[in-house]
Structures are given as C-alpha cells and as structure tokens.
Amino acid sequence: QLDSRVQDLPRDELGELGASLNRLAERLKETNELRKKMTADVAHDLRTPLATVRSHLEGMIDQVIPASPENLESLLDEVKRLTTLVADLQEIAQADVARYRFNLEPLALEPFLAGLVQQMTPLFQKKKLRLALRVVQPATVRCDRDALTKVMENLLSNAHKYTPSGGNVTVLLEREETQAVIAVQDEGIGIAAADLPYVFERFYRTDQSRNRESGGFGLGLTIVKELVEGLGGSVTAQSTPGAGSCFTVRLPLLPE
Ligand code: ADP
C-alpha cells in the first residue's frame, strides 16, 4: 500500500524523500557513534580514579600504605571527583532527554551576581585569588535562576581551577544592544588557540589540564553551553595562553 503511494509521488518529491531518509539515517548513525564514544570515554574516566582508590585501599589493608589523614584526604578527593562526574553525566542526560524545563522569571543580574561572588569569595581566598564584580551597566533578563547559577558556578570554578595563586578573577556585567553580557575573566594559564574551538565539546580537556590532578572531566563547559543556549543566549571563549581567559555569556535583555 505504502509502495503504491510512494510510486504516485512526483519524481522530485520522491528524490526529496530519499534524501531526507538518507539524512535521517546519517544522523542516527552519528548519534549512535557519539553514544559509543561517550560510553568509552566515561568508562575510561571512571576506571582511572577507581583504580587509584582501589590500590590505595588495598595498600592500607596490607599495611604497606599508612592510613594517614593526608592519604585518606587524597582518596576522598578522588571520590569527590567521581561524584562530580556522575552529577555532570546526570545533568547531560537530562538535557538530552527532555531539554530543560526552565522556570523563567525576571532576574536582575547585578544583585544576582553580587550574591554569587560573595558566596564564592571564601573559596577564592583560600587559594589567594581575588574575585571581584565590576558592573558597567546593570541588566535584567528573563531567566531561570538555577540554570544561570549552574552556568556561573561552572565558569567561576574553571577560573578558580586554572588561575595560579595571586591572580585576579573578574565578573563583568554590561549591556550590548538587546543583550546582557556577563564575562568571567581570569589571569590563568589560558587556552591554546588550537584547543579553543573545542573546549565546549563533551570530554574535551586540553593536555595542560589532563596533566593536572585538579582537572575535571571536560563536561563543565558542555553543560554551560547547553544551558545558555537553552535560555536563548550564547557563550564564547577568548584566551591568551599564559595571560588568561575570558568566557562571555550573552542573554537577551528583558524588554522594558
Ligand atoms: P573540566 O571539568 O575539565 O574543567 P570543562 O568542560 O569545564 O572541563 O573545560 C574543558 C577544558 O577547557 C578544561 O579541561 C581546560 O583545559 C579548559 N578550560 C576551561 N576553562 C578554562 C580556564 N578558565 N582557563 C584555562 N583553561 C580552561
């Protein structure tokens, strides 16, 4: 039955149908490849910290590694990293399945950012970093407070992670025509030009952060991008290796 209906279609429509079926097949294949790659990446990322925790615990049981507070602390750090990975994966799965269900409300960015900066200051002080908010122009957006909090926490925690002690991190707020602009500027290790286009991709980490113990799993910026785009905005990155990075979030201003 379907066959005869397909035969009745004019030639160009048939061609179009064929082409879109091909595109669909292509996309399904890509999605499948991506899923396979992601599973392999997750397995790899889980294996390393688990192996560390396991060998240390075994060493402690066999009494070849002392169960000192420092050793236990470093095990706790590994467990914390694993917890973050699981939370990030959950976040991404949620975004994939249902897009986010945003609770949009008018949000004045100046008090919102001031609160966030105040809340994160002790963490920055611990590492002898200065965290400051600079408001060039106040702005109000229609936004989901929790989602924007996650975005800012991710960007600030990267700035914190990748800036050596003594550096400055500045959150800048201004307006640009119909957009509110929030920039997180740091004086950290920076990102090489070759890496910059990929930092928002899943599991992407630069070699520099792969070699650091404090590095995450390369999911934070993926979450940032998905959330910001879900909110109708955009996020970009600029960086000078050795001098610092700047991540800029643009969100549509609430019409007056
Ligand atoms: P991670 O959890 O590994 O930090 P992200 O997705 O947040 O993952 O970031 C991806 C990569 O981009 C990081 O591994 C790091 O190499 C680089 N990066 C992100 N933010 C900064 C920054 N502020 N300064 C330098 N490098 C950064």
Side-chain angles (χ1 to χ4, degrees):
Q1 226 184 354
L2 185 72
D3 275 359
S4 73
R5 260 190 288 163
V6 168
Q7 269 165 17
D8 287 344
L9 286 172
R11 207 166 245 275
D12 50 345
E13 274 187 42
L14 252 184
E16 237 167 68
L17 184 66
S20 47
L21 280 177
N22 273 339
R23 275 198 300 273
L24 187 65
E26 208 44 53
R27 280 199 48 194
L28 281 175
K29 215 172 99 187
E30 269 170 30
T31 311
N32 223 358
E33 291 299 314
L34 197 70
R35 179 167 319 125
K36 268 195 230 160
K37 182 171 173 339
M38 187 160 160
T39 314
D41 287 346
V42 171
H44 173 266
D45 277 342
L46 285 172
R47 198 177 301 124
T48 315
L50 278 175
T52 310
V53 172
R54 181 178 171 165
S55 62
H56 276 75
L57 286 175
E58 285 171 350
M60 286 175 189
I61 290 168
D62 295 342
Q63 301 190 339
V64 288
I65 298 178
S68 64
E70 301 84 66
N71 285 341
L72 289 171
E73 192 83 40
S74 82
L75 285 184
L76 185 62
D77 283 345
E78 285 301 315
V79 172
K80 280 185 191 159
R81 261 162 57 78
L82 286 167
T83 313
T84 314
L85 173 63
V86 173
D88 282 356
L89 287 171
Q90 222 164 13
E91 190 83 31
I92 281 184
Q94 201 180 330
D96 278 352
V97 174
R99 301 312 292 166
Y100 288 93
R101 250 157 283 152
F102 289 124
N103 181 17
L104 299 176
E105 52 184 4
L107 183 67
L109 291 177
E110 182 172 1
F112 168 78
L113 293 173
L116 211 64
V117 163
Q118 192 182 23
Q119 192 188 313
M120 293 191 81
T121 295
L123 178 74
F124 278 69
Q125 278 174 342
K126 249 195 202 167
K127 199 182 162 184
K128 302 216 162 29
L129 293 169
R130 272 176 305 270
L131 176 63
L133 172 65
R134 192 156 82 81
V135 180
V136 179
Q137 285 160 303
T140 300
V141 292
R142 220 169 99 78
C143 190
D144 181 304
R145 174 182 269 274
D146 292 343
L148 192 59
T149 303
K150 269 183 209 150
V151 166
M152 292 307 297
E153 280 174 353
N154 268 303
L155 294 178
L156 286 170
S157 104
N158 280 346
H160 173 270
K161 223 179 332 186
Y162 299 111
T163 306
S165 293
N168 292 296
V169 175
T170 308
V171 179
L172 186 110
L173 174 64
E174 61 181 336
R175 287 199 300 249
E176 220 172 58
E177 294 175 11
T178 58
Q179 315 259 11
V181 182
I182 306 169
V184 178
Q185 299 168 324
D186 68 47
E187 296 178 347
I189 58 173
I191 303 166
D195 289 314
L196 206 53
Y198 306 108
V199 289
F200 293 102
E201 274 178 26
R202 265 166 214 206
F203 295 111
Y204 194 85
R205 282 175 297 174
T206 65
D207 286 343
Q208 250 172 322
S209 82
R210 245 168 233 286
N211 297 334
R212 292 159 72 93
E213 276 173 26
S214 59
F217 294 97
L219 288 173
L221 287 177
T222 308
I223 294 172
V224 165
K225 187 169 150 79
E226 280 181 4
L227 285 172
V228 170
E229 289 180 355
L231 290 167
S234 64
V235 56
T236 52
Q238 287 163 303
S239 188
T240 310
S245 309
C246 180
F247 286 83
T248 308
V249 173
R250 291 186 172 79
L251 291 168
L253 279 171
L254 189 72
E256 304 270 323

